[in-house]
Amino acid sequence: MKVMSTIFVALCGALLTCPTLLAASCESLSSLSLPNATITSAQVVAAGAFRPPEGDGEGVFKTLPAFCRVAAMLRPTSESEIKIEVWMRVSGWNGKFMGVGNGGWAGSIRYFAMRGPLARGYAVASTNTGHDGQHTDASFALGHPEKLTDFAYRAVHEMTVNAKAIIAAFYGDAPKLSYWNGCSTGGRQGLMEVQRFPADYDGVIAGAPANNLSHLEAGNIWISQALHKDGGSVIPPTKYPLIHDAVIQSCDLLDGVKDGTIENPERCNFDPMILKCKAGSGPDCLTGPQAETAREIYGPVKNSRTGEQIFPGLPRGTELQWGIHAGAEPTPLALSGMRNVVFKNPHWDYMELNFDSDIGLSDKAQAQIVATSPDLKAFFDHGGKLIQYHGWTDPLISAQNSIDYYRSVVAKMGGDVSALNNSYRLFMVPGMDHCGGGHGPSQFDMVAALEAWVEHGEAPASVLASHALGGKVDRTRPLCPYPEVAEYSGKGSSDEAANFSCVLPKKIGNASSAGALQ
């Protein structure tokens, strides 16, 4: 069958899309035998007929082509219940495979993430990571260590291996290239694959990775504690715009363009003390304790005894999103993880977290979830390409975390940034929130950039990003590989990417951010 497929592809010549020569009917895959796996269903879904189980957003699936939908249960251990789905176009397969990531604590197949790759011609797979539930709930891990391991790394690897086997059975040929695309937990999963299973994927997109989950949870709780202190140190949400406006006033023009967005927050040294009330309190100023609270949010979370950084603070420009941490409890990701995985107490009080003594306990309990190893040599050696991106106004995972990880990889490679650029690039996105949205240009096609890099050797010197208002694009900007930033030429509209170029940033005090990497 493989020989027939090769001849068929040759006959297609330069056609953009060829009819797909199938090795097996979709329904026959129900009897496919795979180690530690059971095919639970295999059926063709007619063009435009797919409806997600939750029934939301049905319209976005109506443009999908006909595809073979395979569901399977993977049981690498007696406790494992890893659900996966693999979608394969009936015709027009591009010969490639893409795995898509989850969010939070996962718990479901990511149907919305699968539709894009399928539409582009990919065979695509997703997993629930071994449990069903809300992405905000880590209770599945309480008393179930194997399920925690499935979530940590095993489910994605097992999904990848089995998906490739299913694809080969259906098309009669294995995928010629494999890609990963995920953000947040999906970004962590991508980095985990690169670090633990470097041969699984040829190209990986890791957006806003929650790769240092243990410390990320501590960082979220640090902010929540700061915003829930007793007395006058609590910053009322009504004052978040006050602080944000002052930050923009102070740092917006550092890049030479007044657009309400800070291009490079690393250059912004705004001190909230300038908003301190001259006397008492008022709606247009901060009390001294409130200004100190703002400083705490910007500053890194540290062990007070050793001075060691636990997690970076939120960059300046995130103030309008601080309300995420000002609710009755911290973010569900952080609180549920600490309660169910670390302290194993569903009623644990987050105000009791001791940043000096409890982080070690958290590190031990969540060690297998962490994907912070800077050793990516095995992935790079087989030609793997990694694109990481992060929104500067992300309120859930500090953007500085991505920079810290990037720098750790640079250090591991002996400080050779030029060599690293051949395999790994980080793109910081001004004005983008968590995995998308925000007031800056936050719509971009990282998949196309990764394809050009892996398949044609064209490393992304920049990536075009756009912002739309009312469905109409009103601003475009180039995203630049860190540590470069977009610099306005001074000519033409500052809303057009063509009038910007990627350059190394100007000096910050006595050193530049670029210099810190050299």
Side-chain angles (χ1 to χ4, degrees):
M1 189 66 214
K2 188 170 183 178
V3 174
M4 291 178 63
S5 297
T6 302
I7 295 173
F8 181 76
V9 171
L11 290 174
C12 282
L15 292 178
L16 294 177
T17 303
C18 297
T20 304
L21 184 63
L22 303 179
S25 69
C26 183
E27 291 74 13
S28 70
L29 296 176
S30 295
S31 59
L32 183 64
S33 178
L34 298 170
N36 303 315
T38 302
I39 305 295
T40 55
S41 69
Q43 58 185 1
V44 172
V45 178
F50 178 76
R51 299 294 179 268
E54 60 272 21
D56 296 329
E58 294 181 0
V60 300
F61 295 95
K62 290 183 177 179
T63 58
L64 289 183
F67 64 94
C68 175
R69 179 187 180 190
V70 177
M73 177 71 77
L74 313 182
R75 299 184 186 276
T77 74
S78 60
E79 193 178 50
S80 297
E81 295 178 321
I82 302 169
K83 293 179 181 178
I84 71 168
E85 285 202 20
V86 184
W87 292 3
M88 301 166 288
R89 295 172 65 117
V90 171
S91 64
W93 181 43
N94 63 11
K96 297 180 285 188
F97 163 64
M98 182 171 287
V100 295
N102 301 86
W105 289 100
S108 63
I109 302 291
R110 294 295 299 275
Y111 295 110
F112 285 86
M114 296 177 76
R115 73 187 194 279
L118 187 77
R120 296 178 87 125
Y122 283 85
V124 58
S126 176
T127 175
N128 71 342
T129 72
H131 66 278
D132 291 325
Q134 296 296 317
H135 73 279
T136 55
D137 185 10
S139 63
F140 70 90
L142 190 60
H144 297 284
E146 294 295 347
K147 287 187 177 295
L148 184 63
T149 300
D150 287 337
F151 168 79
Y153 62 85
R154 188 162 53 205
V156 168
H157 175 61
E158 291 290 333
M159 175 202 79
T160 301
V161 171
N162 282 278
K164 290 180 180 180
I166 292 170
I167 293 166
F170 184 57
Y171 290 122
D173 221 343
K176 62 183 179 182
L177 290 169
S178 297
Y179 293 99
W180 175 268
N181 189 5
C183 190
S184 195
T185 287
R188 178 191 67 80
Q189 291 167 325
L191 292 183
M192 186 70 80
E193 279 288 299
V194 167
Q195 294 163 20
R196 281 184 179 261
F197 309 103
D200 276 1
Y201 291 94
D202 302 289
V204 167
I205 298 171
N211 63 314
N212 197 358
L213 187 59
S214 173
H215 290 202
L216 164 62
E217 292 169 343
N220 280 186
I221 291 174
W222 171 276
I223 298 172
S224 293
Q225 286 187 2
L227 292 173
H228 288 85
K229 292 179 180 178
D230 295 329
S233 61
V234 175
I235 304 174
T238 54
K239 290 190 177 182
Y240 299 160
L242 168 72
I243 306 172
H244 181 72
D245 290 346
V247 170
I248 295 300
Q249 182 68 25
S250 175
C251 298
D252 184 9
L253 279 172
L254 289 176
D255 63 350
V257 178
K258 186 176 182 180
D259 57 3
T261 301
I262 303 173
E263 169 68 26
N264 182 13
E266 288 187 301
R267 295 190 63 209
C268 182
N269 296 314
F270 169 80
D271 186 349
M273 279 296 172
I274 69 172
L275 294 174
K276 183 178 178 181
C277 302
K278 295 181 179 179
S281 179
D284 298 324
C285 60
L286 301 176
T287 65
Q290 288 172 348
E292 288 291 349
T293 295
R295 278 181 167 179
E296 286 186 41
I297 295 172
Y298 292 137
V301 185
K302 290 185 176 182
N303 182 307
S304 65
R305 290 184 291 103
T306 66
E308 180 183 4
Q309 176 176 296
I310 297 170
F311 202 70
L314 292 181
R316 286 152 177 83
T318 58
E319 302 77 23
L320 295 179
Q321 306 296 325
W322 288 359
I324 289 175
H325 302 280
E329 294 181 329
T331 61
L333 174 77
L335 185 62
S336 193
M338 284 290 186
R339 283 177 170 173
N340 293 287
V341 181
V342 180
F343 294 100
K344 298 176 174 58
N345 175 8
H347 306 292
W348 174 77
D349 183 354
Y350 77 93
M351 292 298 286
E352 296 178 357
L353 182 66
N354 186 306
F355 294 91
D356 292 350
S357 61
D358 290 339
I359 303 305
L361 175 64
S362 178
D363 286 345
K364 183 177 180 180
Q366 303 190 83
Q368 62 184 333
I369 306 176
V370 171
T372 56
S373 171
D375 186 0
L376 308 184
K377 185 176 185 301
F379 180 69
F380 295 158
D381 282 352
H382 87 79
K385 306 299 183 186
L386 171 62
I387 291 179
Q388 186 174 336
Y389 67 88
H390 208 133
W392 268 119
T393 54
D394 187 337
L396 292 175
I397 304 175
S398 173
Q400 187 65 42
N401 179 63
S402 276
I403 293 174
D404 289 349
Y405 178 70
Y406 176 83
R407 287 176 171 168
S408 75
V409 179
V410 172
K412 182 67 176 179
M413 295 188 68
D416 189 349
V417 179
S418 60
L420 186 64
N421 282 339
N422 292 328
S423 304
Y424 175 23
R425 299 200 175 193
L426 167 65
F427 293 87
M428 303 303 293
V429 189
M432 187 176 86
D433 296 342
H434 186 59
C435 295
H439 59 274
S442 59
Q443 299 175 25
F444 43 81
D445 191 346
M446 286 297 177
V447 173
L450 186 61
E451 288 173 331
W453 198 4
V454 171
E455 298 169 31
H456 306 292
E458 299 171 1
S462 66
V463 174
L464 182 66
S466 63
H467 178 274
L469 186 64
K472 182 179 180 181
V473 173
D474 60 353
R475 180 180 298 167
T476 58
R477 285 286 172 84
L479 303 180
C480 302
Y482 186 84
E484 294 182 1
V485 295
E487 181 177 79
Y488 177 50
S489 67
K491 299 179 181 179
S493 172
S494 61
D495 288 329
E496 295 182 10
N499 299 319
F500 289 79
S501 59
C502 291
V503 300
L504 289 173
K506 297 176 181 178
K507 287 187 176 182
I508 308 170
N510 294 322
S512 71
S513 58
L517 296 174
Q518 297 172 344

